[in-house]
Amino acid sequence: MTDTPIDHIRNFSIIAHIDHGKSTLADRLIQATGALTDREMTNQVLDNMELERERGITIKAQTVRLAYRARNGEMYELNLMDTPGHVDFAYEVSRSLAACEGSLLVVDASQGVEAQTLANVYHAIEAGHEIVPVLNKIDLPAAEPERVKQQIEDVIGLDTSDAVEISAKTGLNIEGVLEALVHRLPPPQGDADAPLKALLVDSWYDQYLGVVILVRVKDGRLRRGQKIRMMSTGAVHVVEQVGVFSPKMIATDDLSPGEIGYITAAIKTVADCNVGDTITDDRTPAAEALPGFKPSVPVVWCGLYPVDADDFEKLRESLGKLRLNDASFHYEPETSAALGFGFRCGFLGLLHLEIIQERLSREFALELIATAPSVVYRLYRTNGETQELHNPADMPDGSVIDHIEEPWIRATILVPDDYLGAVLTLCNERRGEQADLTYVGNRAMAVYRLPLNEVVFDFYDRLKSVSRGYASFDYQMDGYTESDLVRISILVNGDPVDALSFIAHRSAAESRGRAICARLKDLIPRQLFKIAIQAAIGGRVVARETIGALSKDVTAKCYGGDISRKRKLLEKQKEGKKRMRQFGKVDIPQSAFLAALKMDG
Amino acid sequence: MEPLALYTHWPFCLAKCPYCDFNSHVRERIDQARFARTLRAELAWEAARLGRRRLNSIFFGGGTPSLMEPGTVAALIEDARRLFDPVPDIEITLEANPTSVEVSRLAALRHAGVNRVSLGVQSLDPAALAMLGRQHSAAQALAALEAARALFPRISFDLIYARPGQAAAAWRAELRQALGLVADHLSLYQLTIEPGTVFEGLHRRGEIALPDPDLAAALYEATGEEAVRFGLLGYEVSNYARPGAESRHNLAYWRYGDYAGIGPGAHGRITVNSALLATRRHRAPEPWAERVERVGHGSTHEAPVPPADRAREMLLMGMRLSEGIDEARFAARTGVVLDEALDPDVLRQAIGEGYVTRGDGRLTVTQAGRLRLDPLIAALVV
């Protein structure tokens, strides 16, 4: 299977904004190179994967090997690497890109460049990729290839004189793409005789095979039966199966430099396979690992609690099952006075958080309460100790805190000129610092530094709403900065509800406290007794709302025949109450709780 | 031994009202003789196990019991007087609608021994009567009251208020007119959307809307104010009477006394061999009658009520009364000490809020508490 000489291998990924035609182009490439028959095409490949990803199920890299006979008559092995496209998985994307030498930049000729595209292009440029611009949907009447080319040159600085103009939908000029891959992308480099160095691109759990690892061989050979070593952990495994994706899994004898494929090695969980790790030979190991490895670190945390306390064990099991296939999220048990037993969970970002929550409710039928998402703060105590803080409940008394640092991001926002003012206002409200503001045709590109904790509170929703959905957004982490942060506690009838407390910048703390009190006032229905809702910073109450007692609720008619019925109704109510969460004798309905946590700035 | 209140259910109506979820049925033809026979048979069966108990009241409810042959009413009263030990001033109430057919029978019913009539007037406003699906006009209602007043020593009638779009001023005016009709007792119900009724469907589709809780509270308070100006006191959530004219029969329910229920769907709470028994009859008229003919009674459920349930039931009912609950009677009747039946934290808070008072061996719900009685009971009763 390794009869393709290294200079006839091309490894590439496709960079595109959602809906710009990535999966359609991938399908065309697969079809044009005969990797699948037409009949298989109808119910196969990347379209399905795309759908799964849209539903939040697949966040894994995919790959397919294509055999292409070029116009020069020679056979080439083209490896298409399909990557998860979201910013939360920026590191995973960067590793996928590190497995390739080039990228196709697919831009909708009727739409132009989007923020998400930009971020991924920069990742590809950092990975040293040769980038081939491809203008898709050239057949549309609204297509403006010249304008979009100019935009690509202005914004990204790529030469577009050789941009390939195609229509993935109609199949127009797919060959032009294949020829560009062969002639414009460099072949991989590697030494087959050097000690093995293979990049661990991704891994997933297959119920029959165990963990399947996606690899890119840089140097040496990866063979069946070989004893391999994970360089970050030192763990040793014996390779059981080696193969490639066509896109079906096809076993081979080995993988040689430049090739992309998979191995299995009786590994039980993906937690043992760190993305970006270097796989080497246990007997003749490489002297140093491939560059760029980073252990995955959660940046956003929240508490997840079962609505029904009896579901705690089920939640633990479900989290365990999800972690089998997604080592990037973390969980540890925690207890809340208000919510009972649950888990503190760490995620790569907000989308990742939503995906896990969605999977828990959809695949495991769990009803959950999620507490407000928190970023990871660095807390420096007066005694010199430092601590990572991601649960507002763990924030110590002000007197022992020397200072706190919070994580910042660098956000890129592309927005039509009409909405720029609103977007800038939003960024400024969220303590943003403008780093750059340029124009791309009639669209503005604003680059802002923002504290991450200002983004985890409904920033996406607000951005969408102030731009009527036209703004696109992407970000990368941008270090820690000291900040004046305080914890706001929410009290219901004088009792603090720990799950509602949050950390905010002092300048915004009071208004946030007032906002959440006002929100809770609307969300909590009137009850038998009046309810006091307060927000406090330290011991100081900064906001108060009172929910008056309900004014009337009494059954008009009740006679002899009603006694049993009314008693049973009462008992049912009592039973239901037992399962409700009470805070200082106040029932906070589920919906109120969830909505209150979706705090608006 | 607890004195007895006897309830008799007549399950038929001329038409089903769109707000009513009572056990009532519309039939083209009713076999009057058969239901007379079976009701009497069931009364005899019930009396056999109850013994010659002191009888405080008889109540003919429905359905529309004024559609019963007066002869049947007379026979049932006669049977009850013979089978039990009636107190000298026994209260015998019959519910009637103000249609002409029914009014024409009032004299015969009085002659049969009925001494209190409860008229389903529901409103004095023609548009409201149409909306409520009533079979009579406002003029007929007034005529019926006139006729009843000439015949019966005690009269009550029902009104439904807090109707869609009803303002407080309009209700006060209607109520004043009603209070001027010199009944000694009024049942004034806020319209409630009951499951399975025509109104429920309309309500779900947004075609009728009830007043919001603030307006409902204002209407309720206005009702009490107007009633008191005419000398009627609210002695139960929806019932107003001149002192001494309270419905003795209904007080038996609210005080959680013994009551026997005969006829389709009738419920009872009766002390038999010193156990408190809950009884329930088959709801459907014909199967009920068939059962009575076959086995002598139409009972489908007979079970002792355990102390904890008795406590809940007595609280559910007793907290509706302005007189409150007598703690000694509570303990004797339920076998549970009042304090064990209440959540102490909620009780403290409820007293602090002025919803309930405690003293002189009674637990009493105030007007403020009564306005919020459902959640108060839900929180207070353990």
Side-chain angles (χ1 to χ4, degrees), chain A residues 5 43 48 59 75 103 277 317 320 335 345-346 383 436 448 510 584:
Chain A
N43 52 8
N48 287 347
I59 51 170
M75 283 302 293
S103 293
D277 202 350
E317 260 173 50
T335 313
C345 301
N383 65 4
D436 196 13
Y448 262 81
E510 288 203 24

Side-chain angles (χ1 to χ4, degrees), chain B residues 277-344:
Chain B
L277 220 57
T279 69
R280 191 172 67 223
R281 301 297 198 258
H282 198 295
R283 267 178 76 87
E286 291 78 14
W288 166 84
E290 213 168 281
R291 239 168 223 260
V292 177
E293 286 158 351
R294 211 171 57 233
V295 297
H297 67 90
S299 204
T300 54
H301 172 88
E302 305 255 329
V305 188
D309 286 1
R310 275 183 249 160
R312 289 198 188 110
E313 293 187 344
M314 188 160 178
L315 282 163
L316 268 171
M317 301 309 274
M319 287 174 69
R320 299 181 67 82
L321 290 172
S322 59
E323 68 179 28
I325 293 169
D326 182 306
E327 291 190 32
R329 179 174 155 75
F330 184 87
R333 184 68 174 156
T334 66
V336 177
V337 178
L338 185 61
D339 279 301
E340 284 169 16
L342 303 175
D343 181 319

Side-chain angles (χ1 to χ4, degrees), chain A residues 358-423:
Chain A
E358 167 119 11
R359 291 189 64 180
L360 287 169
S361 72
R362 208 188 328 217
E363 293 169 37
F364 299 96
L366 278 163
E367 264 191 279
L368 297 174
I369 301 177
T371 65
S374 170
V375 302
V376 181
Y377 300 96
R378 285 190 191 144
L379 190 115
Y380 295 81
R381 288 177 181 257
T382 46
N383 65 4
E385 285 173 16
T386 64
Q387 169 189 354
E388 296 220 318
L389 178 76
H390 56 71
N391 186 350
D394 296 337
M395 185 153 158
D397 188 67
S399 63
V400 304
I401 301 173
D402 183 72
H403 68 282
I404 304 176
E405 290 177 352
E406 65 176 327
W408 284 62
I409 60 165
R410 191 181 176 84
T412 303
I413 300 167
L414 274 177
V415 62
D417 201 21
D418 293 351
Y419 306 109
L420 178 64
V423 169

